[in-house]
């Protein structure tokens, strides 16, 4: 999942820049990078007390 999000982040920049929307490219790539970083950590384990 993490690799997929980072690949999508790198592929969306040229796609949006081609349509002359640089700010959308930056925001969407940052969104995918954030999702990749979120899913890279094991957050879904239950804590044992």
């Amino acid at each position: 999942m993490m690799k997929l999000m980072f690949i999508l982040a790198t592929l969306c920049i040229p796609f949006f820049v081609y349509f002359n929307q640089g700010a959308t490219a930056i925001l969407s790539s940052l969104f995918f990078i954030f999702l990749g970083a979120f899913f890279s950590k094991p957050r879904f384990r239950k804590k044992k007390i």
Side-chain angles (χ1 to χ4, degrees):
M1 186 77 158
M2 176 182 66
K3 290 181 183 178
L4 175 69
M5 292 300 169
F6 288 145
I7 289 171
L8 284 175
T10 57
L11 290 178
C12 72
I13 291 176
F15 178 75
F16 283 114
V17 169
Y18 179 75
F19 292 111
N20 199 13
Q21 295 181 355
T24 308
I26 298 296
L27 290 177
S28 61
S29 67
L30 287 176
F31 175 72
F32 285 126
I33 289 173
F34 173 75
L35 282 180
F38 179 77
F39 287 118
S40 68
K41 297 184 179 180
R43 300 176 189 267
F44 303 110
R45 292 187 208 162
K46 292 183 178 179
K47 293 182 179 179
K48 294 182 180 179
I49 299 175

